[in-house]
Amino acid sequence: MNNHTIEVEQLTKRFGDFTAVDHIDFTVKQGEIFGFLGANGAGKSTTIRMLCALLQPTEGTARVGGHDITDAPEKVKESIGYMSQRFSLYEDLTVEENIHFFGRVYGLTDAGLRERKAWVLSMANLHGRETSITGTLPGGWKQRLALGCAVLHRPRIVFLDEPTSGVDPLMRRTFWELINELSGEGVTVLVTTHFLEEAEYCNDLILINAGHIIAKGSPKELKSDHIKTPILELQCSNVIEAMSRIEQEPWALETSVFGTNLHVSVSDEASARSGIRKIVEQNDMKLYSIDRITPSLEDVFLYLLDRESEKKETMG
Ligand SMILES: Nc1ncnc2c1ncn2[C@@H]1O[C@H](COP(=O)(O)OP(=O)(O)OP(=O)(O)O)[C@@H](O)[C@H]1O
Ligand SMILES: [Mg+2]
């Protein structure tokens, strides 16, 4: 069967009376990079563990590579690669020993293992470090080795649970290049992250909050579906004071600070622009620039999460 997709239907996990994953539905297409985003405790790892057939769902089901996670857990495990959030490598083994260990687990032949080992070493840029103790490698290198070990057996579907946490921004970028290469070879990749900016690298994504999916789509769809009002970005002195004054204006819908910039979503661009100039003049601030921007996914997610927490407050 040549089915490299993931189909999730009403998948639910309860721990006692706590619902960690609450009736979620989504589909991942073959060869795509599918992002699974959400804050700590949102339910990402629990979902992945169910999809890897390591944890039984309480309700609902999923098919991974054409196999039902409840009826055919062994088939699921054979079809996938899994890089867990923790413990994906043996820290006290050398680089080479980790590769050998995972090669054996996946039942590679000697010749197969030799070939894949060479591939992992070059992919993870670890030539010459074969005998280094894994625990002593910098975070980014370790994660690349972990990815290599997770795909030693050339799975067509790969689950990566926060592969870039604890990795510096530069290394994160090279890690994403590896993910892109896998997807370019037709491998389906489901990846979780809590770095919102990494969502831009995904073909499709979902945002999960407290076990519920609160948004789905491509980055482009998410931006155009949810944010219809203009967003102005301003650079000015006293960002925090500017924000508190702007928030009181009738044209200001949402404000958020991005580093030294302020993003303001506004109901009417012209009134907002003149209003902002007035605030700046009256309060002796300096305005360096004011531009209308296309929302980033970060804007979209902050907006959606904000809306969720407001919903919760009004429900009591
Ligand atoms: N075995 C378990 N028993 C009880 N509660 C659990 C168990 N595993 C997870 N949980 C709870 O379920 C919720 C979801 O956890 P999960 O690990 O899936 O979140 P996550 O989105 O992966 O978060 P993080 O970003 O911190 O990795 C959390 O509140 C967690 O405490
Ligand atoms: Mg997790």
Side-chain angles (χ1 to χ4, degrees), residues 123-189:
M123 170 276 235
N125 209 1
L126 282 169
H127 274 299
R129 303 294 288 263
E130 292 87 337
T131 55
S132 302
I133 298 294
T134 303
T136 65
L137 296 175
W141 296 32
K142 226 187 288 182
Q143 294 304 80
R144 289 198 300 208
L145 175 61
L147 176 63
C149 289
V151 300
L152 270 177
H153 55 311
R154 302 179 190 272
R156 305 307 293 168
I157 301 177
V158 177
F159 294 91
L160 308 174
D161 198 356
E162 307 230 5
T164 55
S165 73
V167 175
D168 70 58
L170 202 67
M171 280 288 203
R172 269 170 32 208
R173 206 168 267 267
T174 64
F175 194 91
W176 275 92
E177 284 165 15
L178 293 176
I179 295 180
N180 264 313
E181 276 172 33
L182 283 176
S183 141
E185 291 163 10
V187 175
T188 306
V189 182

Side-chain angles (χ1 to χ4, degrees), residues 117-296:
K117 178 175 156 187
W119 176 82
V120 173
L121 291 174
S122 87
M123 170 276 235
N125 209 1
L126 282 169
H127 274 299
R129 303 294 288 263
E130 292 87 337
T131 55
S132 302
I133 298 294
T134 303
T136 65
L137 296 175
W141 296 32
K142 226 187 288 182
Q143 294 304 80
R144 289 198 300 208
L145 175 61
L147 176 63
C149 289
V151 300
L152 270 177
H153 55 311
R154 302 179 190 272
R156 305 307 293 168
I157 301 177
V158 177
F159 294 91
L160 308 174
D161 198 356
E162 307 230 5
T164 55
S165 73
V167 175
D168 70 58
L170 202 67
M171 280 288 203
R172 269 170 32 208
R173 206 168 267 267
T174 64
F175 194 91
W176 275 92
E177 284 165 15
L178 293 176
I179 295 180
N180 264 313
E181 276 172 33
L182 283 176
S183 141
E185 291 163 10
V187 175
T188 306
V189 182
L190 186 149
V191 53
T192 75
T193 176
H194 58 248
F195 294 112
L196 295 183
E197 77 273 12
E198 292 188 341
E200 299 276 356
Y201 308 145
C202 301
N203 303 113
D204 272 305
L205 37 100
I206 54 180
L207 177 62
I208 182 169
N209 183 49
H212 294 271
I213 293 179
I214 61 172
K216 277 187 208 195
S218 66
K220 201 167 151 200
E221 285 162 352
L222 284 167
K223 289 175 197 171
S224 57
D225 288 358
H226 296 286
I227 299 204
K228 313 260 186 221
T229 54
I231 295 184
L232 297 178
E233 178 179 77
L234 36 153
Q235 287 190 300
C236 61
S237 58
N238 299 344
V239 175
I240 301 297
E241 191 191 341
M243 178 164 90
S244 70
R245 294 193 183 271
I246 286 171
E247 274 173 347
Q248 289 161 30
E249 299 291 329
W251 42 261
L253 304 174
E254 299 256 339
T255 51
S256 43
V257 178
F258 281 75
T260 57
N261 297 342
L262 191 59
H263 288 192
V264 189
S265 117
V266 301
S267 54
D268 174 69
E269 187 173 344
S271 339
R273 281 182 181 265
S274 66
I276 289 168
R277 288 187 195 285
K278 211 179 276 164
I279 289 173
V280 166
E281 270 165 34
Q282 285 170 354
N283 295 284
D284 273 339
M285 296 170 184
K286 284 198 186 74
L287 183 63
Y288 305 116
S289 66
I290 172 166
D291 296 298
R292 173 151 179 188
I293 55 162
T294 347
S296 67

Side-chain angles (χ1 to χ4, degrees), residues 29-40:
K29 298 190 261 282
Q30 173 174 356
E32 78 171 337
I33 303 177
F34 189 88
F36 200 39
L37 278 90
N40 287 342

